[in-house]
Amino acid sequence: MTELPARRLLLVHAHPDDESINNGATMARYAAEGAHVTLVTCTLGERGEVIPPELRHLTGAALGEHRLRELADALAGLGVTDFRLLGGAGRYADSGMMGIPDNDDPGCFWQADVDEAAASLAEVVLEVRPQVVVAYDDNGGYGHPDHIQAHRVALRAVERAADAGWTVPKVYLNRVPRSVAEAAFDRLRQELPGLPFARSAAVSDVPGVVDDELITTEIDGAAYAAAKAAAMRAHATQIEVAPDERHFALSNELAQPLFTTEYYQLVRGETGRPPGRDGEAGGSPETGGNRETDLFAGIEEGV
């Protein structure tokens, strides 16, 4: 068997572009540090709304093929070389936003059998043997059916892999602390006149915002801010990145902050928080007091 790298990270996302928005800086950092980073994307995003007028002729399968090329460009910029489409190209179609007729398409991901999809993902888990898996929360961050299904499939795949011999030491959910989101939007509203967007989004538009005390881990991606912005820009059908590379908008044309520190909630496994005074969990005020600053914290070498 091929020897596995010492650190292995697997991320599960619903559509092309989700990985760059949620985890671009994290992926770039760990790839640069020599970790094996695996991305599993569940659909090609065939029902996404296209921003540039010159590309709006792309729909259905043609849009999916185009978005796959965008994803390849984004991952190349992030330094990620291990990419999988769940079940193979075209196995699961984009379900569209919640509550539309497309949700009833028998070929869409929302209608997929969770155990069947999880079996495909578990095969990847057993091959890669990641110490860390990153997924959405049970609402998919913001209620999109494909994101909700990706959460279900990811956690079920972790269970199936454990039954087959590989227990993932740590499972995280994508998160944003409420105080960080609120402060970022306060700054955004002040800077909005200098941005190419007419209006600001709201904190409620950001997926995965939760109270600060639920955040267990933050990854400083400042050194990879340009890589994240470039990866997001590669998804040109879905994202418009401002020239300052600190803001972006989706097809709704509402400005959002581009976060280069990325946040997580540990939901399975033991935290590896830095020691504080008298051996208690600690850390600096800049890292939320007692948050981890490494997704692999506490994992023994060789696991």
Side-chain angles (χ1 to χ4, degrees):
M1 186 176 74
T2 304
E3 184 176 351
L4 296 168
R7 296 190 298 170
R8 303 174 301 279
L9 167 65
L10 186 147
L11 306 97
V12 181
H13 278 290
H15 316 102
D17 81 359
D18 293 324
E19 81 297 326
S20 297
I21 295 171
N22 286 275
N23 313 111
T26 298
M27 296 171 75
R29 170 183 157 175
Y30 283 111
E33 292 178 356
H36 186 91
V37 179
T38 301
L39 171 67
V40 178
T41 302
C42 299
T43 81
L44 292 176
E46 304 93 333
R47 293 188 169 103
E49 296 181 356
V50 177
I51 295 174
E54 66 273 17
L55 295 177
R56 287 179 186 162
H57 64 282
L58 294 171
T59 59
L63 176 57
E65 291 174 4
H66 187 90
R67 293 189 67 179
L68 183 58
R69 291 193 293 272
E70 292 181 335
L71 178 56
D73 290 343
L75 293 181
L78 296 174
V80 175
T81 59
D82 187 7
F83 163 66
R84 322 291 180 95
L85 280 170
L86 184 65
R91 176 64 184 87
Y92 299 111
D94 186 348
S95 307
M97 298 299 287
M98 186 66 83
I100 66 174
D102 291 330
N103 299 165
D104 298 324
D105 180 350
C108 78
F109 191 45
W110 183 236
Q111 294 297 327
D113 181 272
V114 171
D115 269 331
E116 179 184 302
S120 295
L121 181 55
E123 290 179 4
V124 181
V125 174
L126 290 168
E127 174 193 341
V128 176
R129 297 190 177 185
Q131 297 111 328
V132 176
V133 166
V134 173
Y136 306 118
D137 63 23
D138 59 2
N139 189 45
Y142 69 109
H144 192 293
D146 287 335
H147 287 240
I148 295 171
Q149 191 77 315
H151 164 84
R152 295 170 178 170
V153 169
L155 269 62
R156 181 71 184 109
V158 168
E159 294 173 350
R160 291 184 67 112
D163 292 341
W166 178 254
T167 299
V168 176
K170 301 177 84 173
V171 176
Y172 289 95
L173 306 180
N174 292 297
R175 293 298 198 191
V176 178
R178 193 172 307 281
S179 67
V180 169
E182 289 173 349
F185 274 97
D186 285 343
R187 292 191 297 271
L188 186 158
R189 284 186 282 271
Q190 296 174 14
E191 298 170 355
L192 192 59
L195 298 176
F197 312 117
R199 296 180 296 150
S200 170
V203 170
S204 59
D205 294 314
V206 177
V209 174
V210 292
D211 293 341
D212 289 37
E213 57 265 26
L214 293 178
I215 306 297
T216 61
T217 312
E218 64 179 67
I219 302 301
D220 181 358
Y224 305 98
K228 175 169 181 170
M232 291 174 62
R233 189 175 286 115
H235 291 286
T237 59
Q238 308 299 303
I239 305 171
E240 182 180 356
V241 178
D244 67 3
E245 297 190 341
R246 296 188 299 107
H247 304 90
F248 72 98
L250 302 174
S251 59
N252 59 14
E253 299 182 352
L254 300 177
Q256 295 189 42
L258 192 158
F259 296 108
T260 55
T261 297
E262 294 169 346
Y263 300 87
Y264 302 90
Q265 179 184 0
L266 181 69
V267 291
R268 294 196 183 188
E270 297 296 324
T271 184
R273 290 170 177 168
R277 187 173 301 173
D278 299 325
E280 297 178 355
S284 68
E286 291 78 11
T287 60
N290 63 346
R291 292 179 188 159
E292 298 175 313
T293 56
D294 179 6
L295 295 175
F296 294 89
I299 295 175
E300 295 180 12
E301 287 292 327
V303 172

